Amino acid sequence: MQSDLFPDAQPEASQPSDSSRRSFMQQAGGILGFALASPIASQAETLADKLAPVNPVVSGASPLQLRINGQVKNLTLEPRVTLLDALREYLDLTGTKKGCDHGQCGACTVHVDGQRVNSCLTLAVMTKGKEITTIEGLAKGDALHPMQEAFLKHDGFQCGYCTPGQIMSGVACVQEGHATTDGQAREWMSGNLCRCGAYPNVLAAVREVAGHQG
């Protein structure tokens, strides 16, 4: 029954319910979203086409010749293969260790043209035409390198996993003239981590070789 005070008021049954309003808004929102989705997607696709390289690089294995430990090695590698993986996975030179694979631990240290590098951060194709030396090529036949002998003498290792990288870095450190004092040697060997904590013994080995060469 209509109220006498509000003759124009509609009966409650004719008023839209909250659920009806929500349903209407959801349907309207869905229609609006559908209407906008197509133009937005089209604009995004157009932008992606503009940003794409004109001549994208096509990856694929190709012949590569590397000179490692005085020997020429012929490989077929993809451009993205690191020097570390080329040594370990393709040439079975597993003395070079894969530790962090992010250039933070130094276990993968090798020499490229006499300079120490982290092989996990170096693409194999970047070393084409250069002389690569790994821990396997450090000794001369049965004669150990002085740094290897010093590590044995001073017990510069425990588990041995970081040892190849430590030795390779130690050799370079001495050649660079960065092992004239304990503090200097520590600084220039700081990129090679030892989880066993054999740092005093490593330092003793590096300093002994530096003293002999000096």
Side-chain angles (χ1 to χ4, degrees), residues 144-162:
L144 295 178
H145 188 280
M147 188 65 71
Q148 293 173 309
E149 292 180 339
F151 265 70
L152 289 172
K153 175 183 176 180
H154 293 280
D155 196 21
F157 53 87
Q158 289 189 38
C159 78
Y161 196 83
C162 73

Side-chain angles (χ1 to χ4, degrees), residues 120-138:
C120 72
L121 298 182
T122 306
L123 295 177
V125 295
M126 296 168 59
T127 61
K128 181 180 179 181
K130 300 179 180 181
E131 182 64 42
I132 304 164
T133 304
T134 70
I135 190 67
E136 290 89 349
L138 206 57

Side-chain angles (χ1 to χ4, degrees), residues 27-43:
Q27 292 177 4
I31 294 173
L32 181 61
F34 179 80
L36 293 176
S38 181
I40 292 175
S42 178
Q43 292 175 10

Side-chain angles (χ1 to χ4, degrees), residues 181-212:
T181 66
D182 286 0
Q184 187 185 49
R186 288 192 188 97
E187 175 69 22
W188 288 88
M189 289 290 294
S190 62
N192 290 78
L193 305 183
C194 174
R195 293 191 177 188
C196 300
Y199 295 114
N201 302 21
V202 171
L203 176 63
V206 173
R207 290 284 287 123
E208 177 174 300
V209 176
H212 288 166

Side-chain angles (χ1 to χ4, degrees), residues 58-76:
V58 179
S59 62
S62 59
L64 178 64
Q65 192 175 81
L66 299 179
R67 185 173 179 81
I68 302 172
N69 298 328
Q71 298 181 355
V72 175
K73 303 292 184 179
N74 294 302
L75 303 169
T76 302

Side-chain angles (χ1 to χ4, degrees), residues 11-33:
E12 292 184 2
S14 64
Q15 297 294 331
S17 64
D18 290 341
S19 61
S20 297
R21 282 194 293 269
R22 283 195 299 269
S23 177
F24 170 76
M25 293 301 294
Q26 289 173 352
Q27 292 177 4
I31 294 173
L32 181 61

Side-chain angles (χ1 to χ4, degrees), residues 13-111:
S14 64
Q15 297 294 331
S17 64
D18 290 341
S19 61
S20 297
R21 282 194 293 269
R22 283 195 299 269
S23 177
F24 170 76
M25 293 301 294
Q26 289 173 352
Q27 292 177 4
I31 294 173
L32 181 61
F34 179 80
L36 293 176
S38 181
I40 292 175
S42 178
Q43 292 175 10
E45 184 176 354
T46 301
L47 179 61
D49 290 339
K50 290 181 179 179
L51 296 178
V54 178
N55 295 313
V57 177
V58 179
S59 62
S62 59
L64 178 64
Q65 192 175 81
L66 299 179
R67 185 173 179 81
I68 302 172
N69 298 328
Q71 298 181 355
V72 175
K73 303 292 184 179
N74 294 302
L75 303 169
T76 302
L77 302 175
E78 291 183 337
R80 62 182 177 179
V81 174
T82 64
L83 178 58
L84 175 60
D85 286 337
L87 294 172
R88 291 181 58 84
E89 306 299 332
Y90 293 84
L91 295 172
D92 201 28
L93 294 172
T94 56
T96 305
K97 303 303 182 186
K98 177 176 285 194
C100 65
D101 213 21
H102 287 80
Q104 298 175 348
C105 73
C108 67
T109 303
V110 299
H111 296 173

